[in-house]
Amino acid sequence: MTQQPFSRPGAIDLSGLGQPPAPQAGSPAPQGAAGGAYSVTITQENFQQVLQESMTAPVVMVFHSARQAPGSEQYAADVAAVAEQQEGRLLAALVDVDAQPEIAQAMQIPQVPLMMVVLDGRPVTQPIPGALSADELTTLFGQLGQQLTAQGITGRHQPRSSAAPVGEDEEEVVDPRYAPAQDALAAGDIDGAVAEYQKLVDANPADVEAAGGLAIAKVMQRTQGVDLNAARAAAADAPDDVDAQTMVADLDMLGGHVEDAFARLVGLVARTSDKDREKARDHLLGLFAAVGNDDPRVLAGRRSLASALF
């Protein structure tokens, strides 16, 4: 699966999208929800509102068509199901291009199925064509969440389910345990975020989310002010230097090249011994924690690490 680091390209061009057609007498009202607390079916009537919601947290837009790509409706449903697991970190917005051709035209959709991530009303990844598996979606959405946290973006969508109504004046749903660390990241205080996450881990070593937050915050801390080109040159000149190799692995992590980071350190473990090998192994375990132990790439990385060790 292609890594999808965030960027900030231009805003979505809506010039091709006309005014929503007036509802015909006796026709049913358009359906807004796709059936979950964090998913919505896009129509011309609610399109602008959903784009507005991307100012709070990402909207993952999925374009599907039963006519052009049979089975793509199931992919859209899969995206919505995986999005539910993120508990408001993102909103799945499903676009049936057969029913909403104007929206597909405005978004310049070249094919279906296709997925894009929208934040602040703008795409923040390259469009992702084709259908991903549920495991790949889980990995991708987890990555996006980590990158958002790294950028201090901690907003969440409010649930759309009637079982969990939210008042107009309610603030974003943020777990108060992580608020100090997230606030520190939002303020650019990486050292403060590391300290706050460390407190949580010390208090509860079984807190997986805190451990993952601590691990990624430490990656950010280690790479502050590092020149990428200089770091890569140093690693190329000294392939067995643990410090040089782990630095590039950290930079790869922040750039979204998770598998490259793992492969670099697995190779380092295989080539080194004694204290160097232990240091490289421990660093790799820290990167595993940053990504998440249930991530398929971590599972594969652990197998590779075991082969390198034994």
Side-chain angles (χ1 to χ4, degrees):
M1 182 182 62
T2 302
Q3 306 297 335
Q4 294 291 331
F6 280 110
S7 62
R8 287 290 198 276
I12 295 171
D13 180 8
L14 303 179
S15 60
L17 185 60
Q19 293 297 317
Q24 297 178 0
S27 63
Q31 295 297 309
Y38 301 107
S39 58
V40 61
T41 296
I42 294 294
T43 65
Q44 288 196 53
E45 288 84 350
N46 67 8
F47 182 50
Q48 292 284 358
Q49 176 59 39
V50 172
L51 286 182
Q52 184 64 33
E53 292 183 43
S54 76
M55 306 299 290
T56 298
V59 172
V60 177
M61 304 189 75
V62 184
F63 298 85
H64 62 94
S65 165
R67 185 175 66 240
Q68 299 179 39
S72 61
E73 318 96 292
Q74 181 58 52
Y75 174 54
D78 290 345
V79 172
V82 176
E84 292 296 314
Q85 302 169 10
Q86 302 297 312
E87 299 181 338
R89 205 71 177 91
L90 53 84
L91 174 70
L94 313 184
V95 186
D96 181 347
V97 303
D98 296 334
Q100 307 295 333
E102 297 88 353
I103 294 176
Q105 180 181 1
M107 301 290 286
Q108 300 179 357
I109 301 305
Q111 67 176 83
V112 288
L114 183 138
M115 178 170 61
M116 67 171 61
V117 182
V118 177
L119 183 65
D120 297 336
R122 305 175 181 185
V124 289
T125 66
Q126 293 297 317
I128 304 170
L132 305 181
S133 69
D135 284 345
E136 289 174 323
L137 289 169
T138 299
T139 296
L140 176 62
F141 293 167
Q143 254 188 335
L144 296 181
Q146 288 177 354
Q147 292 186 33
L148 287 168
T149 299
Q151 295 181 32
I153 301 171
T154 59
R156 290 179 184 266
H157 292 281
Q158 299 292 2
R160 307 177 98 80
S161 171
S162 59
V166 179
E168 291 183 1
D169 296 331
E170 275 193 55
E171 297 181 355
E172 296 172 356
V173 179
V174 177
D175 191 322
R177 293 175 299 169
Y178 309 118
Q182 293 176 349
D183 289 345
L185 285 175
D189 181 7
I190 298 174
D191 293 342
V194 169
E196 293 296 339
Y197 277 126
Q198 187 66 62
K199 290 178 186 176
L200 294 172
V201 172
D202 290 344
N204 180 14
D207 188 335
V208 176
E209 187 167 346
L214 175 61
I216 194 66
K218 284 185 173 180
V219 172
M220 297 170 64
Q221 186 182 51
R222 291 192 295 264
T223 55
Q224 287 185 97
V226 174
D227 182 275
L228 175 60
N229 292 330
R232 289 197 178 280
D237 290 340
D240 295 337
D241 185 290
V242 176
D243 291 336
Q245 298 302 320
T246 54
M247 178 55 68
V248 174
D250 284 348
L251 292 167
D252 280 342
M253 280 286 294
L254 288 184
H257 305 291
V258 175
E259 289 156 320
D260 290 344
F262 289 174
R264 178 179 293 274
L265 294 187
V266 167
L268 185 61
V269 167
R271 295 193 303 272
T272 53
S273 60
D274 301 328
K275 290 184 178 180
D276 282 348
R277 169 180 273 202
E278 183 177 353
K279 185 175 180 180
R281 170 188 169 276
D282 289 347
H283 197 99
L284 179 55
L285 293 177
L287 297 190
F288 287 164
V291 176
N293 288 327
D294 293 332
D295 189 293
R297 294 165 303 173
V298 171
L299 298 177
R302 288 189 181 279
R303 290 192 294 269
S304 298
L305 175 60
S307 297
L309 288 169
F310 305 107

